[in-house]
Amino acid sequence: MGDDADPDAFDGLEALDDVALARIAHGRVADSPESRMLAQRAARILAGRRPAPDPTPPVVDQSLADGPDAADAPRASRVSVRVLIAAALAVVALIAVALVAIPREPPAFAVVERPATPRERVLDERLAGTGGLLFSGVRVLQSVVLTEPGELLELVAYRGGASPRTPPSERTVCLAVFAADRLWSRTCLPEPAFLSGGDVSILESLPGAELRYGWGPGGTSSVQLTPTGPTDLVELTAMGLPAVRNLVLAAEDGPSFLVRSLELITRPSGRPEALFGPAELARVDETWILIGAVRRSPTPGGELEVCAIATRIGVASAPIDSSCVTASEFASAGIATPPADGLRPFVYAWRPDGTIELEGLTSTP
């Protein structure tokens, strides 16, 4: 063929082989419309002669599959899988370590997260006024009704710390017990010790009672006040003490002005009024007088007290001896001053069997 394609040549392209067609389609310069058309026609014929792709996958020769390259590919794949598994396990281990390193607050601390009640806000202020450093607010764990109406035994908890910036290692877990609205006991444990499983457990002796209370990381709490003896007149008279029976008889007509005045003067601060009495037990030469009374315990819900007062009559600023013991102590030994030592103006003894001794040792105060 020449440089310009002859139109009649289109019909002869079908008879050419692939090499000739390729030379026409790709090996000449298409510098005229006819030449370009001839090249495009040859390219279409050549493309039509190429076989379609075989959908059947090629058969791999077993000898080639068993060669070194074929063996390396699965091994490399297995190595990659092992690397991925190891990396995943390492990530899981790091997450587990991080979770362990994060301090976990025990279930017990959930109580300090709830909103405070009006009563808890009052107790919060009272504890803060006693020098307590409160990192969290006070929360009541348990309330127990005592012997008197309206008197409660309240176990409260709080987390101690100077401020929210106080590190956990320096914080404390504290318990406090209020009885009849007064703070009776308080104890604190370092917070790390509490978190490690150390329960707060306290047994404390109070006047006329034993107080036991505790709290653990799991949230279990307990508080119990156990009187050491009788808490009312029925229980006291049931002990069958002649001294108590005599006191009841002596108090039937009520106290005289002198007896009432002496009882008011000598009543220790915080002591409740007498349940029965005061009553005059004995008088010597119209100079010395011994008075008896039974009072409630200074500890709400505690054992009753038996009290004795001795003084000189008619002398201003006369010495006064006032002593109180629990009812069970009185049943065992009564009330008595130490033996005469030359320094006391009088000695006395009031025994459980009802006998009384009163002796003035001097004639001056």
Side-chain angles (χ1 to χ4, degrees), residues 104-224:
R104 296 184 179 181
E105 294 194 340
F109 283 175
V111 70
V112 300
E113 300 299 330
R114 64 169 173 76
T117 64
R119 173 61 178 167
E120 288 169 340
R121 286 192 287 270
V122 171
L123 296 176
D124 193 73
E125 294 177 359
R126 294 190 179 178
L127 275 177
T130 63
L133 299 175
L134 277 61
F135 171 68
S136 71
V138 171
R139 296 295 182 270
V140 176
L141 301 180
Q142 283 193 31
S143 295
V144 179
V145 178
L146 295 174
T147 55
E148 289 296 298
E151 289 186 347
L152 292 178
L153 183 70
E154 297 170 289
L155 175 66
V156 306
Y158 63 93
R159 298 169 71 182
S163 72
R165 294 186 298 275
T166 302
S169 60
E170 297 180 12
R171 295 176 191 163
T172 56
V173 174
C174 300
L175 288 179
V177 177
F178 285 84
D181 218 30
R182 291 175 57 194
L183 176 63
W184 282 98
S185 181
R186 175 167 51 190
T187 187
C188 295
L189 182 74
E191 189 167 294
F194 186 80
L195 295 176
S196 65
D199 290 4
V200 181
S201 182
I202 301 297
L203 175 61
E204 185 173 347
S205 293
L206 300 176
E210 286 188 344
L211 176 64
R212 186 188 298 272
Y213 59 97
W215 192 38
T220 303
S221 62
S222 61
V223 60
Q224 183 178 14

Side-chain angles (χ1 to χ4, degrees), residues 72-357:
D72 288 344
R75 185 180 299 112
S77 177
R78 289 194 297 271
V79 170
S80 298
V81 171
R82 286 197 297 269
V83 170
L84 290 175
I85 293 174
L89 291 176
V91 171
V92 171
L94 289 174
I95 294 175
V97 170
L99 291 176
V100 171
I102 297 174
R104 296 184 179 181
E105 294 194 340
F109 283 175
V111 70
V112 300
E113 300 299 330
R114 64 169 173 76
T117 64
R119 173 61 178 167
E120 288 169 340
R121 286 192 287 270
V122 171
L123 296 176
D124 193 73
E125 294 177 359
R126 294 190 179 178
L127 275 177
T130 63
L133 299 175
L134 277 61
F135 171 68
S136 71
V138 171
R139 296 295 182 270
V140 176
L141 301 180
Q142 283 193 31
S143 295
V144 179
V145 178
L146 295 174
T147 55
E148 289 296 298
E151 289 186 347
L152 292 178
L153 183 70
E154 297 170 289
L155 175 66
V156 306
Y158 63 93
R159 298 169 71 182
S163 72
R165 294 186 298 275
T166 302
S169 60
E170 297 180 12
R171 295 176 191 163
T172 56
V173 174
C174 300
L175 288 179
V177 177
F178 285 84
D181 218 30
R182 291 175 57 194
L183 176 63
W184 282 98
S185 181
R186 175 167 51 190
T187 187
C188 295
L189 182 74
E191 189 167 294
F194 186 80
L195 295 176
S196 65
D199 290 4
V200 181
S201 182
I202 301 297
L203 175 61
E204 185 173 347
S205 293
L206 300 176
E210 286 188 344
L211 176 64
R212 186 188 298 272
Y213 59 97
W215 192 38
T220 303
S221 62
S222 61
V223 60
Q224 183 178 14
L225 189 142
T226 305
T228 53
T231 59
D232 56 38
L233 297 181
V234 174
E235 294 178 350
L236 179 61
T237 54
M239 297 176 72
L241 301 176
V244 173
R245 185 173 61 250
N246 295 341
L247 177 61
V248 173
L249 294 174
E252 285 183 349
D253 296 332
S256 65
F257 177 78
L258 172 64
V259 170
R260 171 59 70 182
S261 299
L262 290 174
E263 194 272 340
L264 289 174
I265 293 172
T266 59
R267 184 191 306 167
S269 175
R271 287 290 202 274
E273 292 188 12
L275 278 178
F276 58 86
E280 182 177 324
L281 299 176
R283 189 181 296 203
V284 176
D285 300 331
E286 297 299 321
T287 302
W288 306 99
I289 188 171
L290 181 65
I291 299 169
V294 173
R295 295 193 181 101
R296 293 195 181 278
S297 172
T299 302
E303 179 181 3
L304 297 179
E305 287 188 324
V306 179
C307 303
I309 304 168
T311 188
R312 186 174 181 182
I313 304 173
V315 178
S317 303
I320 298 175
D321 185 283
S322 177
S323 300
C324 293
V325 297
T326 63
S328 56
E329 290 175 319
F330 182 80
S332 175
I335 302 177
T337 58
D341 54 10
L343 299 177
R344 289 178 172 273
F346 51 80
V347 294
Y348 68 88
W350 181 23
R351 298 187 177 90
D353 62 4
T355 58
I356 296 173
E357 294 178 7

